[in-house]
């Protein structure tokens, strides 16, 4: 509800109110515009800046509430201007989520964007003489769609896409805009994104599709056994997406979108919020140290901090790697996830020297034919390729690398020179013919790391199933991973110490155990015909871990539950592994 205490003010006071409002608007505009110039890495500078922004927008929002009647009559304050303030607040929360990786801030952003829509602040945008306001409305919708996608508000996203399509058509018809193709591309990208991510439909008893979350829930975490006095925790994450043909939306490839959720906890359930919530949230924002604090259970620690990089240059990636290592505490671990196309090498497996095995393409900058031939004659390396050796300087601290690429096998020969825990999980370099065409819709390896049961259903061509069967299968997957962890400890003498050191962390534990589940599925599935079709790791995991009859039996039980047992080998009959 809007607040109004201005019934007995003099004209001088009214003028002061208008002046103060304009000053707050200008200050907020300056701070917001400076947001794009903030470095994406480090903590001190951006935290201070966000503190100032939250403070100014708190004052601006309260001010327009308190003096609404004066601003309406003397300043001609319009509804879209109120909506613009709310939209900026929503953007602040979203950017703060990107900086902190705390999904609760997505809920705050969602609350403001929802209120703008429900209160129709931009309803008169097409009545303006110029198209500027209509463009702001379209951009608001694009941002709202991103936030809704990240919160799995699938039904709402479908509604927003339809509304965005309608408003784009209105924008083109009213203003004869020449950027209509750009906006239609936005709609086609998010539509393709939604279709590609909808791999399996789980139907509830009410015959309504269930919403599947990729974030980590408390019941998914296998119990960890103590391994020693040193406890490592995942602190910094760099998620890189460079696949040229994979569907994307708003500089997020589908693999990036899935992985960033897998490396977050489920946000806390929150009651329905309204726009006035910002004043409540902001009451405590006086000390910049407390900006962005959210209530969490005392048993939970914050999510690891993430950087999202879409098609970075090698130089850009190196800067983020260096900053990630710099920010690590003594017991901190950095995880680097890379989903990209492969760069060919110039040596056979195991026979080449440094930088000979190839790697993963970064930004796709094509060179001319003559330049390409010259580089080949001179045996020059691809400047925009990320090689295993590029990680050597950053292995001075605990490091986990996940490589999802057709050239992931280049990382089998990973140099570890500093004795710190170092693990590399690699996708297979080949896929069954029937699944090769699916790469545009996201990688199978990444899908296993994000949602093992979803990936299992996908390789078995299961497109829909009942929610009760889904829940039973989820319990079976958890049993498999619990037993995988037990086998790790039973055969500890055969496992590299790095695995045990990094199993301390809940996220890393899930990644490692899901990797093992992925291996068992592909090794037992008849469509995966040899070691090139299986994921690999550095250090290598022994046959005692990867060929355990008990685990094979449990994976086959899962296949029987889903009535796809015929697609798999019997226990002990899978092809040999390297």
């Amino acid at each position: 509800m809007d607040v109004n205490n201005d019934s007995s003010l003099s004209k001088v006071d009214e003028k002061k109110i208008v002046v103060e409002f304009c000053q707050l608007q200008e200050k907020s505009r300056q701070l917001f515009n400076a947001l794009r110039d903030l470095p994406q890495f480090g903590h001190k500078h951006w935290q201070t800046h966000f503190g100032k922004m939250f403070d100014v927008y708190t004052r601006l929002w309260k001010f327009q509430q308190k003096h609404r009647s004066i601003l309406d009559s003397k300043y001609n304050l319009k509804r879209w201007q109120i909506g613009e303030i709310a939209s900026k607040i929503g953007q602040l929360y979203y950017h703060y989520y990107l900086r902190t990786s705390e999904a609760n801030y997505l809920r705050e952003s969602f609350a403001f964007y929802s209120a703008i829509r429900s209160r129709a602040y931009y309803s008169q945008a097409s009545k303006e003489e110029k198209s500027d306001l209509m463009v702001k409305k379209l951009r608001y919708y694009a941002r709202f769609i991103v936030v809704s996608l990240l919160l799995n508000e699938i039904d709402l996203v479908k509604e927003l896409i339809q509304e965005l399509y309608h408003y784009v058509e209105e924008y083109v018809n009213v203003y004869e805009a020449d950027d209509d193709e750009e906006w239609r591309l936005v709609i086609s990208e998010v539509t393709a994104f939604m279709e590609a991510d909808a791999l399996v439909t789980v139907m509830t008893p009410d015959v309504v599709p269930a919403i599947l979350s990729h974030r980590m829930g408390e019941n998914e975490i296998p119990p960890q056994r103590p391994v020693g006095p040193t406890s490592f925790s995942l602190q910094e994450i760099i998620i890189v997406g460079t696949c040229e043909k994979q569907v994307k939306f708003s500089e997020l490839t589908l693999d990036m979108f899935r992985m960033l959720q897998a490396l977050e906890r489920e946000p806390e359930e929150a009651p329905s919020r309204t726009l006035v919530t910002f004043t409540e949230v902001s009451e405590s924002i006086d000390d910049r140290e407390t900006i962005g604090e959210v209530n969490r259970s005392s048993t939970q620690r914050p999510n690891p901090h993430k950087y999202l990089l879409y098609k970075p240059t090698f130089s850009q990636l190196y800067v983020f790697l260096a900053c990630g290592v710099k920010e690590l505490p003594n017991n901190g671990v950095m995880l680097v996830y890379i989903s990209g196309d492969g760069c060919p090498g110039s040596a056979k497996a195991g026979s080449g020297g440094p930088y000979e095995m190839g790697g993963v393409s970064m930004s796709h900058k094509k060179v001319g034919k003559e330049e390409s031939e010259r580089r080949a004659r001179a045996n020059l390396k691809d400047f925009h390729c990320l090689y295993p050796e590029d990680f050597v300087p950053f292995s001075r601290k605990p490091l986990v690398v996940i490589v999802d690429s057709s050239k992931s096998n280049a990382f089998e020969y990973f140099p570890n020179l500093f004795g710190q825990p170092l693990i590399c999980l690699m996708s297979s370099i080949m896929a069954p013919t029937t699944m090769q065409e699916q790469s545009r819709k996201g990688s199978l390896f990444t899908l296993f790391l994000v949602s093992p049961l979803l990936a299992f259903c996908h390789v078995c061509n299961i497109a829909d199933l009942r929610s009760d069967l889904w829940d039973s299968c989820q319990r079976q997957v958890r049993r498999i991973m619990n037993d995988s962890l037990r086998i790790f400890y039973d055969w500890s003498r055969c496992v590299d110490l790095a695995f045990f050191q990094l199993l301390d962390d809940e996220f890393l534990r899930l990644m490692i155990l899901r990797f093992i589940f992925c291996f068992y599925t592909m090794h037992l599935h008849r469509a995966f015909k040899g070691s090139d079709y299986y994921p690999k790791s550095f250090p290598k995991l022994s046959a005692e871990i990867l060929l355990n009859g008990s685990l094979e039996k449990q994976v086959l039980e899962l296949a029987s539950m889903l009535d796809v047992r015929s697609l798999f080998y019997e226990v002990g009959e899978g092809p040999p592994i390297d």
Side-chain angles (χ1 to χ4, degrees), residues 275-293:
L275 200 55
V276 293
T277 302
F278 185 67
T279 59
E280 300 165 6
V281 172
S282 302
E283 292 290 349
S284 62
I285 301 179
D286 296 320
D287 181 359
R288 290 173 187 151
E289 296 287 324
T290 65
I291 293 294
E293 284 298 320

Side-chain angles (χ1 to χ4, degrees), residues 528-567:
F528 297 81
K529 302 182 182 297
S531 60
D532 285 346
Y533 291 80
Y534 310 149
K536 293 181 172 62
S537 69
F538 172 89
K540 287 185 177 181
L541 289 170
S542 66
E544 287 80 3
I545 303 298
L546 298 180
L547 297 179
N548 183 279
S550 173
L551 286 181
E552 288 185 339
K553 182 179 179 181
Q554 291 193 59
V555 172
L556 296 179
E557 286 177 7
L558 176 64
S560 296
M561 293 170 67
L562 292 165
D563 199 23
V564 290
R565 181 65 182 77
S566 61
L567 299 178

Side-chain angles (χ1 to χ4, degrees), residues 148-200:
S148 300
L149 273 173
L150 289 169
L151 285 173
N152 288 319
E153 299 285 348
I154 305 302
D155 292 337
L156 175 60
V157 171
K158 294 175 182 177
E159 293 179 17
L160 294 175
I161 292 172
Q162 290 300 317
E163 290 177 20
L164 178 59
Y165 175 81
H166 168 77
Y167 291 129
V168 167
E169 294 301 312
E170 183 179 36
Y171 168 62
V172 173
N173 292 333
V174 172
Y175 297 102
E176 299 181 355
D178 57 3
D179 58 347
D180 57 316
E181 289 302 318
E182 296 176 21
W183 284 108
R184 290 195 172 99
L185 178 61
V186 170
I187 295 171
S188 65
E189 281 186 346
V190 69
T191 302
F193 199 94
M194 290 278 289
E195 292 174 352
D197 197 37
L199 296 175
V200 177

Side-chain angles (χ1 to χ4, degrees), residues 32-140:
F32 196 90
N33 291 339
L35 185 64
R36 66 174 65 96
D37 298 324
L38 282 179
Q40 291 179 278
F41 37 80
H43 294 298
K44 294 182 180 178
H45 297 296
W46 67 258
Q47 283 183 330
T48 300
H49 189 82
F50 269 89
K52 292 178 180 178
M53 282 196 294
F54 273 105
D55 178 61
V56 169
Y57 274 96
T58 300
R59 288 158 52 200
L60 179 62
W61 186 256
K62 289 180 178 179
F63 195 87
Q64 65 83 23
Q65 280 186 310
K66 183 178 180 181
H67 303 293
R68 178 68 58 80
S69 62
I70 296 298
L71 294 173
D72 285 345
S73 61
K74 303 300 180 181
Y75 180 75
N76 193 26
L77 181 67
K78 299 179 180 179
R79 287 187 61 77
W80 69 260
Q81 291 174 300
I82 303 170
E84 187 70 3
I85 298 172
S87 179
K88 288 290 194 296
I89 296 169
Q91 290 179 63
L92 281 182
Y93 274 119
Y94 175 67
H95 282 289
Y96 205 62
Y97 157 73
L98 292 179
R99 299 275 182 167
T100 62
S101 300
E102 290 302 318
N104 291 287
Y105 295 117
L106 278 175
R107 290 195 182 278
E108 302 296 343
S109 179
F110 180 83
F112 282 90
Y113 285 148
S114 297
I116 292 169
R117 179 172 176 251
S118 64
R119 298 185 182 189
Y121 280 128
Y122 287 122
S123 60
Q124 300 298 309
S126 61
K127 308 299 182 184
E128 297 289 322
E129 183 176 344
K130 294 183 179 181
S131 65
D132 297 6
L133 182 57
M134 195 66 183
V135 172
K136 289 182 178 181
K137 181 175 183 175
L138 298 181
R139 288 175 177 167
Y140 149 73

